[in-house]
Amino acid sequence: MQDALLAKPVWLHADAYERYMGRWSRQVAPPFLRWLDRPAGQRWVDVGCGTGALSAAVLARCAPARVTGVDPSEGFLRKAREQLGDRAELHCASGDALPLAGGCSDATVAALMLNFAADPAAVVKEMARVTAAGGCVAAYVWDYGGRMDLIRGYWDAARELDPTVPSQDTGPRVALCRPEALAALFEQCGLAQVATRAVDIAMHFANFDDYWQPFLRGQGPAPAHAMGLPAPQREQLRERLRQRFAARAGDAFELGARAWAVRGIAAA
């Protein structure tokens, strides 16, 4: 069986992603930016900008001189253009080959993408390259192996029904979603004054379908796994998750989530 956790996801459908993860990333962005505490008038680059959640928060809260977003998915960039309009300059490119000049940014950030990069070090080195000396390089990722109930609950239930489903406690992506690994990555890429912190949020679901329906749209490893199951097994998994999270299908409920943030200073 293919390792569903480590399989490379295909990010194409922006609206599906928004329902699955984009809405939660928007909650993490404000406390992340408060922690960075950058002055007004700076040039920002958002690497792996996706549908524009972090860029929108930068525009709303940081009084930037300029915001530039880069993402390899044209589908996501179309959504970002709808949301950001002409307030951001957007490029279709990979995070390990940014189409930007060296030192063009004062704050270079990445939300929820480093753990999906084929070579995270290459991405961080590119982020550092485009950041002016003394500027900030920062990112955040979900704590998949720990406090991320939405995803962890899914994989735990899937493994209860099929022990061959890989545990999400293993693998390079999950290892990177820990503060020690993030700090080590930034230090290895030449960044100074590296620091990490946890950002905790509450995920509020109106009912069980609010939780479950995004898994049926295929955006990300867990939804891809769900849609790869035969219909009877998928329904069995759905019922197992409903019993785990909601006493009745119509009940509102709340799950906890933690993102780990990391920041460093670009060297001269």
Side-chain angles (χ1 to χ4, degrees):
M1 179 179 188
Q2 184 183 20
D3 186 330
L5 178 65
L6 299 181
K8 183 178 180 180
V10 177
W11 307 108
L12 296 172
H13 305 292
D15 289 336
Y17 175 81
E18 278 290 296
R19 290 298 301 160
Y20 178 52
M21 280 297 166
R23 54 178 167 166
W24 311 122
S25 180
R26 293 178 190 281
Q27 289 190 30
V28 177
F32 171 72
L33 293 174
R34 285 196 297 271
W35 180 56
L36 298 187
D37 192 25
R38 304 302 297 175
Q42 295 213 311
R43 303 163 296 170
W44 289 73
V45 171
D46 183 359
V47 178
C49 65
T51 56
L54 183 52
S55 289
V58 170
L59 287 162
R61 295 171 177 273
C62 301
R66 183 178 71 232
V67 174
T68 302
V70 181
D71 198 273
S73 169
E74 277 288 5
F76 280 21
L77 287 174
R78 281 193 294 273
K79 186 69 172 182
R81 290 186 184 100
E82 289 177 11
Q83 300 195 64
L84 303 175
D86 61 2
R87 297 179 298 158
E89 176 185 313
L90 301 176
H91 300 273
C92 187
S94 173
D96 58 8
L98 299 174
L100 304 172
C104 69
S105 172
D106 302 302
T108 306
V109 292
L112 307 182
M113 62 81 67
L114 281 181
N115 52 305
F116 291 110
D119 187 347
V123 174
V124 176
K125 288 176 182 176
E126 271 291 270
M127 293 173 70
R129 179 186 67 80
V130 303
T131 306
C136 178
V137 177
Y140 61 86
V141 296
W142 291 124
D143 183 9
Y144 284 118
R147 187 63 166 152
M148 182 47 169
D149 295 350
L150 183 154
I151 302 298
R152 188 171 185 86
Y154 176 92
W155 290 113
D156 287 350
R159 293 190 76 223
E160 290 169 5
L161 297 171
D162 179 2
T164 67
V165 172
S167 169
Q168 71 160 331
D169 291 328
T170 63
R173 289 186 182 165
V174 170
L176 186 59
C177 296
R178 301 296 302 159
E180 302 84 1
L182 286 169
L185 173 65
F186 269 46
E187 288 167 354
Q188 291 163 8
C189 293
L191 294 163
Q193 301 177 39
V194 174
T196 62
R197 67 155 290 182
V199 179
D200 291 332
I201 65 167
M203 295 180 167
H204 300 282
F205 297 91
N207 49 49
F208 182 72
D209 274 350
D210 191 25
Y211 169 89
W212 176 248
Q213 286 299 316
F215 286 95
L216 305 182
R217 305 182 76 175
Q219 290 298 283
H225 172 265
M227 294 310 296
L229 294 172
Q233 292 181 27
R234 187 163 58 247
E235 181 58 27
Q236 188 180 17
L237 176 58
R238 178 191 182 280
E239 181 58 20
R240 179 65 61 95
L241 284 163
R242 189 198 63 76
Q243 293 173 6
R244 180 184 295 264
F245 292 139
R248 294 177 298 276
D251 287 351
F253 61 98
E254 178 182 296
L255 300 178
R258 171 171 294 161
W260 283 109
V262 60
R263 70 185 182 197
I265 301 300

